[in-house]
Every structure is written in structure tokens, then in C-alpha cells.
Amino acid sequence: MFTLFHHPFCPHSRFIRLIAGEYGLDLKLVEERSWERREAFLLLNAAGTTPVLVDEEQPIPGAAIIAEYIDEAYGAEMEPKRLMPETVAERVEVRRLMAWFNEKFFEEVSHPLVTERIYKRFMSEENGGGAPSADVMRAAKANVRYHLAYIGWLAQTRNFLAGDRLTYADLAAAAHLSAIDYLGDVPWSEDDAAKAWYARVKSRPSFRPLLSEWLAGVPASRTYVDLDF
Amino acid sequence: MFTLFHHPFCPHSRFIRLIAGEYGLDLKLVEERSWERREAFLLLNAAGTTPVLVDEEQPIPGAAIIAEYIDEAYGAEMEPKRLMPETVAERVEVRRLMAWFNEKFFEEVSHPLVTERIYKRFMSEENGGGAPSADVMRAAKANVRYHLAYIGWLAQTRNFLAGDRLTYADLAAAAHLSAIDYLGDVPWSEDDAAKAWYARVKSRPSFRPLLSEWLAGVPASRTYVDLDF
């Protein structure tokens, strides 16, 4: 039994939940509002960010670090469903794309949109709460378009984003997209290949728990739960 | 022979140069001004950032990904000087601190300071060049103080930042610090333990190439090359 300190709309937390779902790892979920900087949480992760996985009392902070940890501790026994390839060269490509979504897409798209449209509802004024910034949202929505085109290009070139098999790269991309798809902020009609790839990943059983969690007062977009969106 | 596309003041590039120095890997250095978005460079790394390591025609982009790659491809043969520990739990701590410096310290301190004080000199106006922003520099200089205290706390608790041995964590921290130390932006007098740890790392032979590179028009701070600063 693992414990995951997460937030339902934290894209990095969603990434770890998808990995756990693919591997059948049993997660106890604890919702953490990282902006409140709860002292006991800071002891688990001095950076104060979600997600943090606790495995037999060891805290493992951060999406990429958790992904590496799970691969090192449990990856070998997960074959043939292992989400990290075996060869050094293929691992470079999976890590490159993981970082692309967990860092670049997060910074340019998913973090600003989730912060403005969701987190700010829960934040007190001194924590940065208040009305969403139209400027920030406009910039993020412009950025999502080139990322979608990049996903489409990868999906046309390969079976999955990093190669033949489903890997961490697909789950990271899908996790970030899912958080903003809930908000209706993905212009799916602009890229058929990206849309077809996402439909495949979204229809996996590991995705179901994410699709069934709704936020009171913020209805999901029309396409969010629809597997044939 | 490896090729490293880098910038002399890019902290992430410095981190990779330190690793190569510790391991005795022969690097051919190519200076890249990433803000110019040179097309051939974007083919090596779509994200357009330094560093990129090329090992036998395979491009490996990004500091953390290069560090993992070097460990997977060459780490085992580097014992007893290997910079990643063997146990899964120790690797979590090294990765946590690598991310702390490569992501958090970079965003809060080294990236703003290096951008404002160095990169902007070389950037054209449409690339964001111009006079440094006093506000950005003030914020970054305030942030460096809590990071220095954190380093000091770690250095008092442990022999090196992540444990008994020198690891990637020390080299990442020292790489980012060195870039802003050149500019005189580290308040060393505020933390004796951090200063003593840095003096130990800075006196390693792997550090020498960094200390001997000076930038025309931007003299190094008084303490930069001094091993007993």
C-alpha cells in the first residue's frame, strides 16, 4: 500500500495515478492543498509541491523522481507492461518527453490554466487567490496549440509518443492534457492525429478514476468523459 | 569523444561539465546561444535549451536526462567515483536535490540572474536583450539567501549534500552557485557551513576549467577564483 499526497487537478499527481493504474499499485490518496504549506507536508517535501509518494515510510517527492523510483523498485516485475524501455537510447527519448510535458507543457500551459481556473478558487487572498487572470489564460491557450501540433506530429510518426509501446511519455502527456481538457481548454479539432492518440490513451482502464472525479461548481467540459469525443 | 552544446554561464551546462571532469570524459565544447534558436540546434533539442550532449551521434538533451544517461551508460565502470549511489532510497535523495537545484534554484535564482546580467548583453532587442531589470535581480538575490541556508543545513547534517559521498547533488548545487558567484551574487558570509562545503567542491580539479573562463566586459567577483574565499 502506497500513499500519494496529491491534488485532483495537479497534472503531476495525475501522471503518478496513471502509472499506478497501469501497474495495479494500490494508492491511498490524500488530497493536499500545497499552497497552504502545511508543516507536516513540508517535512515530506521541502519544496512543498505535489505529488509525494510514500512507500513504506520513505517519502518520494516530485513526478519525475517518483516515476524513476517506481521503475527502479518495481519496473522489472511489471514486464511486459513496463513503462520505461530497456535500452539506454530509448530511455533518453522517454525522459525527454516526460520532461517536455512535466516541465515545459506544465510551465506554459497546464500550470497557469489549472492555477487560474481551479486553484485560485480555493486559495485565500494572501495565498494568491482571487479572480483568474485573463492575460495568463490567453497566453496558455495560445501555447497549447503548438504543443498539440507536436503531439500530433509524434503520433503520426510513431505508434505511441516515444516509440512502439506505451511509456511514461504517453502518461505524462495525457495527464497534463486531461487536467485542462476538464476545463475545455484543448482545441482537439485542430489536430486529428493528436486527438486519435489521446482517445486511445483515455480509453485505458487506468484513466477511469480521473474521468469520474468532478469538482463541485466547475463542471467538466462536454468532451471530458466522452471516449469518442 | 563527446560533444557538449553549452553556454559558459548556463548553470545546467556547468553541471554536465563538472560530471565530465569528475569522470575524465573528453568533451568537445560548442558554445550555443540558445536564444538565437539556431535551426540545426533545434533538431538536436526541440526544446531549444542548453545543454545537449551528443554521444556517437545520439543527442541527449537536458541536464537531468544527461546525468541519468551518463550514469546508465558509464556509471558502473566509474566506481568508486560513481556520482549516483547504488540503493534505490539513496538515489531518490540525489534526484531530489538535483531537481532542487536544476529546477527550483534555477527558476528562483540562477536563471534570472544569469539572464539579466549576462545573456541580455548578447541578445538582440527582439530576443529580449536590453538593460537588466533591477526588480528581477532584487527578487533573485533575496531568494539566494534561503537556498544558502538550506545548503548550510544539509552540509552540517551530512558530509556531502546527499550523504557521505560526493554525488550529482553536490555538482548540481555547485554548478548553479558558481554561475552567480562569478557575478558576486552569493552572500557567503551568511552561512559558514555552506561556504565550507562550497570551498571543498570548488577545490576539486573538475572545477578548474570553469574558474579559468572569464567573460570580456564582465569581470569575475573577487572571490570567484579564490579557493580560500
Side-chain angles (χ1 to χ4, degrees):
Chain A
M1 172 65 104
F2 303 84
T3 303
L4 186 72
F5 292 82
H6 83 126
H7 188 278
F9 284 87
C10 161
H12 294 128
S13 302
R14 288 181 166 229
F15 172 48
I16 303 305
R17 292 174 68 190
L18 290 176
I19 297 171
E22 289 292 329
Y23 282 168
L25 304 177
D26 213 3
L27 285 187
K28 185 178 105 189
L29 294 174
V30 179
E31 185 173 327
E32 186 70 41
R33 295 180 173 183
S34 57
W35 53 87
E36 292 178 356
R37 300 186 63 76
R38 197 169 58 89
E39 211 165 313
F41 183 63
L42 292 173
L43 289 175
L44 294 177
N45 181 12
T49 49
T50 49
V52 176
L53 182 75
V54 180
D55 184 7
E56 294 185 1
E57 309 209 346
Q58 183 179 18
I60 304 124
I65 299 167
I66 296 171
E68 297 287 353
Y69 172 81
I70 290 177
D71 189 64
E72 289 182 347
Y74 306 100
E77 65 195 73
M78 294 300 167
E79 288 291 1
K81 295 183 66 178
R82 189 169 181 179
L83 296 161
M84 271 293 265
E86 297 263 320
T87 74
V88 171
E90 290 172 298
R91 293 162 77 87
V92 167
E93 181 63 354
V94 171
R95 289 192 178 112
R96 181 183 78 82
L97 289 169
M98 262 208 289
W100 183 282
F101 293 102
N102 282 336
E103 296 169 26
K104 193 171 173 64
F105 189 93
F106 176 72
E107 190 183 310
E108 296 174 356
V109 180
S110 57
H111 185 57
L113 285 173
V114 169
T115 302
E116 295 302 323
R117 300 192 57 182
I118 297 185
Y119 294 164
K120 275 190 166 181
R121 294 171 171 260
F122 300 106
M123 289 171 167
S124 64
E125 226 169 282
E126 66 264 34
N127 280 331
S133 154
D135 282 352
V136 170
M137 292 197 294
R138 196 175 311 116
K141 284 189 198 181
N143 290 336
V144 74
R145 302 176 66 182
Y146 93 86
H147 282 286
L148 202 63
Y150 188 50
I151 291 169
W153 179 79
L154 291 170
Q156 281 188 303
T157 319
R158 305 160 170 181
N159 192 25
F160 285 99
L161 294 189
D164 283 344
R165 279 170 59 166
L166 182 85
T167 67
Y168 282 160
D170 301 279
L171 300 186
H176 286 266
L177 281 167
S178 75
I180 64 165
D181 188 38
Y182 184 95
L183 299 165
D185 287 339
V186 186
W188 292 114
S189 61
E190 288 190 8
D191 200 295
D192 288 340
K195 184 177 170 177
W197 161 83
Y198 187 64
R200 272 194 295 150
V201 179
K202 183 180 173 178
S203 63
R204 299 182 72 84
S206 64
F207 233 84
R208 270 183 225 142
L210 301 186
L211 299 181
S212 64
E213 275 180 24
W214 285 44
L215 191 65
V218 189
S221 68
R222 197 181 48 76
T223 58
Y224 185 62
V225 291
D226 185 359
L227 296 183
D228 299 307
F229 55 105
Chain B
M1 171 65 103
F2 303 84
T3 302
L4 186 73
F5 292 83
H6 84 125
H7 187 279
F9 284 87
C10 161
H12 294 128
S13 302
R14 289 181 164 228
F15 171 48
I16 302 305
R17 292 174 67 190
L18 290 176
I19 297 172
E22 289 292 329
Y23 282 166
L25 305 177
D26 213 3
L27 286 187
K28 185 178 104 190
L29 293 173
V30 180
E31 184 173 327
E32 185 70 40
R33 296 181 174 185
S34 57
W35 53 89
E36 293 177 355
R37 299 187 64 74
R38 195 168 61 88
E39 212 165 315
F41 183 63
L42 292 174
L43 289 175
L44 294 176
N45 181 12
T49 49
T50 49
V52 175
L53 182 76
V54 179
D55 184 7
E56 294 186 2
E57 311 212 345
Q58 183 179 19
I60 303 126
I65 298 169
I66 297 171
E68 297 286 354
Y69 172 81
I70 291 176
D71 189 65
E72 289 182 347
Y74 306 100
E77 67 196 71
M78 295 300 168
E79 288 291 0
K81 295 183 66 180
R82 189 170 182 177
L83 296 162
M84 271 293 265
E86 295 265 321
T87 73
V88 172
E90 289 171 298
R91 292 163 78 87
V92 167
E93 182 64 353
V94 171
R95 290 195 178 110
R96 181 183 78 81
L97 289 169
M98 260 207 289
W100 183 282
F101 294 102
N102 281 336
E103 296 168 26
K104 194 172 174 63
F105 189 93
F106 176 71
E107 189 184 311
E108 295 173 357
V109 181
S110 56
H111 185 57
L113 285 173
V114 169
T115 303
E116 295 302 323
R117 299 192 58 181
I118 297 184
Y119 294 164
K120 273 189 165 182
R121 294 171 171 259
F122 300 105
M123 290 173 168
S124 64
E125 224 169 284
E126 65 265 35
N127 280 333
S133 155
D135 281 353
V136 170
M137 292 197 295
R138 196 176 310 118
K141 284 189 198 181
N143 290 336
V144 73
R145 304 176 64 182
Y146 93 86
H147 282 286
L148 201 65
Y150 187 51
I151 291 169
W153 178 79
L154 290 170
Q156 281 188 303
T157 320
R158 304 161 172 180
N159 192 23
F160 285 99
L161 294 191
D164 283 344
R165 279 170 58 167
L166 181 85
T167 67
Y168 281 160
D170 301 279
L171 300 186
H176 286 267
L177 281 166
S178 75
I180 64 166
D181 188 38
Y182 184 94
L183 300 165
D185 287 339
V186 186
W188 291 115
S189 61
E190 289 190 9
D191 199 295
D192 288 342
K195 184 177 170 176
W197 160 84
Y198 186 65
R200 271 195 296 149
V201 178
K202 183 180 173 179
S203 63
R204 299 182 72 85
S206 63
F207 233 85
R208 266 179 230 146
L210 301 186
L211 299 180
S212 63
E213 276 179 25
W214 285 44
L215 190 65
V218 188
S221 67
R222 196 183 47 78
T223 58
Y224 185 64
V225 293
D226 185 358
L227 295 182
D228 301 307
F229 55 105

